[in-house]
């Protein structure tokens, strides 16, 4: 089906842009007749050519499930062993446009983590049919909030999700991509430059440990840029940070000693990350491809948050919800997928 091919091409282009998505984040869909074709759970957009990238869901049934508060199932078309539909299927189903693209755009998130986000964005997005959706957990809660917002302004085609990301919709892949590019242009922020890492000191630590240099030089900004350190030590900015990089906040707290930082462990008990103030960042040798991409995404976000911005962090109850079993499954799926793909994701 040509329309599905066009969606795959668009998805792969988006997936290849680290400023738009990282690892398995983001999702795309297209409605054809009464069927919603959507990215399968845990798939990476950059691998949109894979046979199991898309799953189909009966659109009317998906909307009915949301109304009746029952799980949306793709089982009618799902063969054993295939993946389920994206966690955001309900959101895609309630949006009336043919094509829906959800991304974790670093430019958008840099605005979406601000208390004054709606005010800041109203000037930048003026003339576009956009709405701000305050932070709501992914899944049916988010879909309901968007459904409600659409009742007031049905023509909405740009949604900025507080502490989360961006949704753009259109009646073709082409028009949706054009709108995404326009929003990206309007929300673009020049990242702060950070002092250079101190490689001699880093190499000293490196030689006697299980650490390695991070995948991208820009990551050192976490340690060398005091504004970024301050912002990140204040709390968790968005769900993917909580899921993939849970140790960052503690690591940047000034009360944590160097020895304690060396002892920080990732979710599988392996060293994940070491931030050495003013010197740079070292990555644990067991850091997954998904964690690497999320780390680069986090640096790209935080370097775009103004020093004076009033940052809105996830609350304790929001974090608890994010770190529920469902989120753990989400990460494991992403990691399995990542290992299956090797190191060619970027
Ligand atoms: Zn998302």
């Amino acid at each position: 089906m040509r329309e599905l091919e066009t969606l795959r091409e668009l998805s792969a282009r988006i997936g290849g842009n680290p400023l738009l998505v990282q690892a398995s984040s983001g999702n795309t869909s297209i409605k054809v007749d009464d069927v919603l074709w959507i990215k399968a759970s845990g798939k990476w957009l950059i691998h949109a050519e894979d046979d199991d990238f898309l799953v189909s869901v009966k659109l009317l049934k998906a909307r009915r499930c949301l109304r009746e508060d029952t799980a949306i199932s793709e089982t009618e078309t799902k063969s054993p062993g295939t993946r389920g539909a994206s966690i955001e299927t309900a959101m895609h189903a309630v949006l009336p446009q043919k094509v829906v693209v959800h991304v974790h755009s670093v430019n958008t998130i840099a605005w979406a983590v601000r208390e004054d986000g709606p005010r800041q964005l109203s000037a930048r997005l003026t003339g576009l049919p956009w709405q701000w959706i305050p932070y709501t957990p992914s899944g049916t809660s988010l879909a309901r909030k968007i459904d409600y917002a659409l009742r007031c302004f049905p023509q909405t085609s740009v949604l900025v999700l507080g502490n989360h990301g961006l949704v753009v919709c259109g009646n073709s892949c082409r028009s949706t991509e054009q709108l995404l590019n326009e929003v990206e242009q309007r929300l673009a922020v020049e990242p702060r430059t950070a002092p250079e890492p101190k490689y001699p000191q880093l190499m000293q630590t490196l030689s006697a440990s299980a650490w390695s240099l991070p995948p991208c030089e820009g990551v050192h900004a976490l340690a060398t840029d005091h504004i970024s350190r301050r912002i990140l030590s204040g709390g968790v900015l968005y769900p993917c940070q909580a899921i993939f990089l849970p140790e960052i906040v503690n690591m940047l707290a000034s009360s944590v000693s160097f020895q304690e930082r060396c002892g920080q462990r990732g979710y599988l008990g392996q060293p994940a990350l070491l931030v050495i103030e003013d010197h740079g960042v070292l990555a644990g040798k067991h850091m997954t491809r998904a964690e690497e991409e999320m780390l680069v995404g986090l640096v790209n976000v935080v370097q775009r948050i103004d020093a004076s911005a009033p940052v809105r962090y996830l609350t304790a109850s929001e974090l608890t919800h994010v770190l529920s079993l469902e989120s753990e499954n989400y990460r494991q799926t992403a990691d399995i997928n990542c290992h299956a793909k090797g190191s060619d994701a970027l």
Side-chain angles (χ1 to χ4, degrees):
M1 204 185 307
R2 183 61 208 152
E3 286 181 302
L4 299 190
E5 280 312 303
T6 309
L7 180 71
R8 285 177 188 270
E9 289 161 11
L10 170 62
S11 303
R13 274 196 298 281
I14 293 170
N17 185 346
L19 299 182
L20 291 178
V21 295
Q22 306 80 35
S24 59
S25 69
N27 33 70
T28 54
S29 73
I30 189 165
K31 300 175 185 80
V32 182
D33 300 324
D34 62 345
V35 174
L36 172 72
W37 292 88
I38 186 164
K39 187 193 89 162
S41 176
K43 293 296 291 185
W44 294 34
L45 285 173
I46 198 168
H47 299 128
E49 77 286 358
D50 289 356
D51 287 343
D52 60 351
F53 176 71
L54 291 172
V55 296
S56 62
V57 176
K58 296 278 187 195
L59 189 55
L60 291 177
K61 189 178 174 196
R63 288 174 178 159
R64 191 173 68 238
C65 286
L66 185 64
R67 278 197 306 276
E68 295 171 355
D69 202 18
T70 53
I72 296 176
S73 165
E74 66 292 333
T75 48
E76 284 179 25
T77 55
K78 189 178 167 189
S79 45
T82 58
R83 294 166 184 273
S86 163
I87 187 175
E88 303 291 20
T89 300
M91 174 180 81
H92 287 253
V94 299
L95 287 159
Q97 290 91 342
K98 187 176 184 70
V99 176
V100 176
V101 167
H102 166 49
V103 289
H104 289 188
S105 147
V106 299
N107 283 302
T108 304
I109 295 174
W111 296 111
V113 296
R114 295 177 62 128
E115 298 277 8
D116 62 350
R119 187 168 61 78
Q120 293 287 343
L121 291 174
S122 60
R124 289 167 177 84
L125 296 179
T126 185
L128 293 179
W130 78 281
Q131 287 201 66
W132 169 273
I133 306 291
Y135 177 77
T136 309
S138 289
T140 52
S141 307
L142 181 57
R144 284 208 179 82
K145 193 163 272 189
I146 289 175
D147 193 25
Y148 183 77
L150 289 174
R151 280 183 224 162
C152 305
F153 301 102
Q155 74 281 21
T156 303
S157 55
V158 176
L159 295 147
V160 176
L161 311 180
N163 291 91
H164 183 167
L166 173 68
V167 179
V168 175
C169 321
N171 287 320
S172 68
C173 286
R174 189 186 166 89
S175 65
T176 307
E177 188 171 24
Q178 283 171 346
L179 184 57
L180 173 63
N181 291 340
E182 174 158 9
V183 172
E184 278 295 295
Q185 262 179 17
R186 291 192 189 205
L187 300 188
V189 182
E190 192 63 33
R192 230 180 356 265
T193 52
E196 290 288 310
K198 296 190 171 68
Y199 281 112
Q201 287 89 336
L202 284 179
M203 297 313 282
Q204 234 174 13
T205 311
L206 203 61
S207 61
S209 70
W211 306 99
S212 58
L213 287 172
C216 159
E217 193 165 346
V219 165
H220 292 298
L222 278 183
T224 62
D225 177 32
H226 72 97
I227 298 169
S228 293
R229 283 203 312 267
R230 175 176 56 75
I231 292 171
L232 284 173
S233 64
V236 174
L237 296 170
Y238 51 89
C240 280
Q241 181 192 344
I243 297 166
F244 288 87
L245 304 164
E247 71 273 27
I248 290 268
V249 177
N250 284 339
M251 193 162 280
L252 290 171
S254 54
S255 58
V256 178
S257 70
F258 179 81
Q259 282 72 21
E260 282 174 309
R261 288 175 202 212
C262 289
Q264 295 272 354
R265 299 281 152 171
Y267 68 100
L268 291 176
Q270 305 288 345
L273 190 69
L274 181 60
V275 180
I276 308 172
E277 202 168 302
D278 294 329
H279 290 182
V281 171
L282 296 177
K285 294 217 165 116
H286 297 281
M287 183 174 247
T288 66
R289 184 75 184 176
E291 286 168 335
E292 286 177 5
E293 291 206 11
M294 293 297 176
L295 180 61
V296 173
L298 180 65
V299 174
N300 279 329
V301 168
V302 80
Q303 289 297 103
R304 284 169 169 78
I305 301 174
D306 190 79
S308 62
V311 177
R312 191 267 180 196
Y313 297 101
L314 294 180
T315 65
S317 63
E318 288 165 352
L319 276 174
T320 303
H321 189 273
V322 165
L323 296 172
S324 65
L325 190 60
E326 191 176 1
S327 302
E328 182 63 19
N329 289 340
Y330 168 61
R331 181 175 66 177
Q332 284 173 359
T333 309
D335 285 344
I336 289 163
N337 207 31
C338 135
H339 290 309
K341 290 293 170 194
S343 58
D344 61 347
L346 278 180

